[in-house]
Amino acid sequence: MTQNAGSTITRMLQMHPQIDKSPFDLGALTECIDACFECAQICTSCADACLGETEHAGHLMHCIRLNSDCADICITTGRVLVRQTQPELAVIRAQLQSCLAACKACGDECQQHAEKMSMKHCEVCMESCRRCEQACQALLATLN
Amino acid sequence: MTQNAGSTITRMLQMHPQIDKSPFDLGALTECIDACFECAQICTSCADACLGETEHAGHLMHCIRLNSDCADICITTGRVLVRQTQPELAVIRAQLQSCLAACKACGDECQQHAEKMSMKHCEVCMESCRRCEQACQALLATLN
Amino acid sequence: MTQNAGSTITRMLQMHPQIDKSPFDLGALTECIDACFECAQICTSCADACLGETEHAGHLMHCIRLNSDCADICITTGRVLVRQTQPELAVIRAQLQSCLAACKACGDECQQHAEKMSMKHCEVCMESCRRCEQACQALLATLN
Amino acid sequence: MTQNAGSTITRMLQMHPQIDKSPFDLGALTECIDACFECAQICTSCADACLGETEHAGHLMHCIRLNSDCADICITTGRVLVRQTQPELAVIRAQLQSCLAACKACGDECQQHAEKMSMKHCEVCMESCRRCEQACQALLATLN
């Protein structure tokens, strides 16, 4: 029943008055925006789920920290990418690089807990981080 | 091709170690989380699209302001709702009330520009605001 | 050596082109903006400090959760209050009420850890939460 | 009457249980955290003040856009820096680089409006952006 945010942002950007001047590939852009917002949501949830693992919270300290950073960085990256009025590529590239680094670090940490401790929420979070990392990489590639 | 963030958060919450203690109806909760994140995305886009309407930017000043508030409020509401470890209902209810008010004000303003100025991005934004307002109302109803 | 953000925002708002139409008392407004941004910073720090209390992290779970909500809510409240172009009082009042509730809940929780566990970072965080709660209350009083 | 957030975060970090393991110079760190939160506040205000410049809003479009990005990026950078439990230097360095780029672009744009249009709010915003850019540069230098 839930709508797909990805398709709604595609509709929005198609109606944007400055979209003809956009330096972005619209498909790669909306994929990346969608991945950033999803990853922000899932990392916020993973930090909270790790906190709720009462017995294991000590082992998950680094995961909670990386989840928190990754959630903040993904939201900001998503919002910067949504804006299509006179984009500043130097800022956008640097923020995409930071998002890449955050998703890589968080995805790697979650993968360990998924594999060694069978943490299912870390497995889902790892998938969101990997998807977002790849979407940032793909979008950066279209800008070079 | 894009995944549905709504279904990913449902998977996450089903694996959450504290979900059995949740005071929320899981369907109403994930619908509301999804609506908040989508509305944050679309309001950020509508503020930026209105800014890019060079000739009409003056008439859209109030819309840009409400979009900006609504985007910030929806992200925060979405993140507060995502967290399921020891939720504090007084805080959650108050933040849902604020989200309701923001979506109502922003949806009403966008409706005017959709109807009187045929602003298509305002029409899509109005739909996201209405959906989010209703999802907050429905979730609040389950908490009383 | 650090400048005082409180005085910088006062200078900004004095130069704002719409400040003559502001429904706010400028002193109560800048005090509240400053308190919101400080509380966001300190709650982010307290959540992280509690997480770093390896032996006690289990007892601090509720505190980390409330700190995280309070940080998000305070940033959003601060940003909404900073905006002085055509403010929407229904939205602002509701967000101030939510900020009040978050600072009350977080301040009460931190007070317990300051008193019973001698957690010094919780003591500083409690002070920031109380200051922000009072600043929101004072600002709300000027709006009624 | 307002307290100095900069000194409160210094007190918090001195009581942080993991601060002995911090790879940061505490003076450079707190200076940078304070500069990020101030710049976020001032950029949010400058975007809103530019929007309120009814006659000139068209000329200020790029400024509003850069202010909005810079505000989001500064808040996220400030929150990532506040966290001292098991910091991930690759993520922190990348986010500092993005903050540098955003403050440089926004500061340059504001400088033009301060000089050519005598926009006083842009002058104050330029100062906050320059201060934040330098604080990020100084902190990055201590990490290499």
Side-chain angles (χ1 to χ4, degrees), chain D:
Chain D
M1 275 244 298
T2 51
Q3 282 176 244
N4 187 324
S7 64
T8 312
I9 192 66
T10 302
R11 283 169 66 208
M12 279 300 278
L13 293 183
Q14 284 165 344
M15 295 160 191
H16 193 291
Q18 308 278 332
I19 202 66
D20 293 344
K21 299 175 194 157
S22 174
F24 295 99
D25 171 273
L26 201 61
L29 177 67
T30 54
E31 179 66 30
C32 195
I33 290 170
D34 191 40
C36 284
F37 274 81
E38 183 191 279
C39 196
Q41 202 183 52
I42 301 305
C43 282
T44 302
S45 181
C46 194
D48 176 70
C50 287
L51 182 65
E53 297 281 359
T54 37
E55 294 166 52
H56 306 289
H59 289 98
L60 295 168
M61 198 189 290
H62 194 46
C63 198
I64 295 172
R65 195 255 142 79
L66 290 173
N67 280 146
S68 304
D69 285 357
C70 197
D72 290 348
I73 289 171
C74 284
I75 287 180
T76 284
T77 308
R79 293 187 76 176
V80 168
L81 291 175
V82 159
R83 297 185 185 112
Q84 288 298 309
T85 296
Q86 304 193 347
E88 188 80 15
L89 288 183
V91 177
I92 292 166
R93 276 201 195 94
Q95 189 56 41
L96 279 168
Q97 293 287 2
S98 175
C99 198
L100 262 178
C103 289
K104 174 81 171 68
C106 192
D108 287 353
E109 183 75 15
C110 281
Q111 186 170 359
Q112 284 188 38
H113 303 301
E115 289 176 359
K116 295 187 192 156
M117 299 167 77
S118 300
M119 289 276 163
K120 291 288 181 192
H121 48 78
C122 286
E123 192 179 330
V124 178
C125 191
M126 175 198 74
E127 290 167 12
S128 278
C129 290
R130 297 304 189 211
R131 181 188 166 214
C132 192
E133 186 187 349
Q134 285 160 20
C136 290
Q137 201 98 61
L139 188 61
L140 270 169
T142 69
L143 293 176
N144 293 328

Side-chain angles (χ1 to χ4, degrees), chain B residues 27-48:
Chain B
L29 176 67
T30 53
E31 179 66 29
C32 194
I33 291 169
D34 192 39
C36 284
F37 275 82
E38 183 191 279
C39 197
Q41 202 182 53
I42 301 306
C43 282
T44 303
S45 181
C46 194
D48 177 70

Side-chain angles (χ1 to χ4, degrees), chain C residues 33-62:
Chain C
I33 291 169
D34 192 39
C36 285
F37 275 82
E38 184 191 278
C39 197
Q41 203 182 52
I42 302 304
C43 282
T44 303
S45 182
C46 195
D48 175 71
C50 288
L51 181 66
E53 298 281 359
T54 39
E55 294 167 50
H56 306 290
H59 289 97
L60 295 168
M61 200 190 289
H62 194 45

Side-chain angles (χ1 to χ4, degrees), chain C residues 19-40:
Chain C
I19 201 67
D20 294 345
K21 299 175 194 157
S22 175
F24 295 98
D25 171 272
L26 200 60
L29 176 67
T30 53
E31 180 66 29
C32 195
I33 291 169
D34 192 39
C36 285
F37 275 82
E38 184 191 278
C39 197

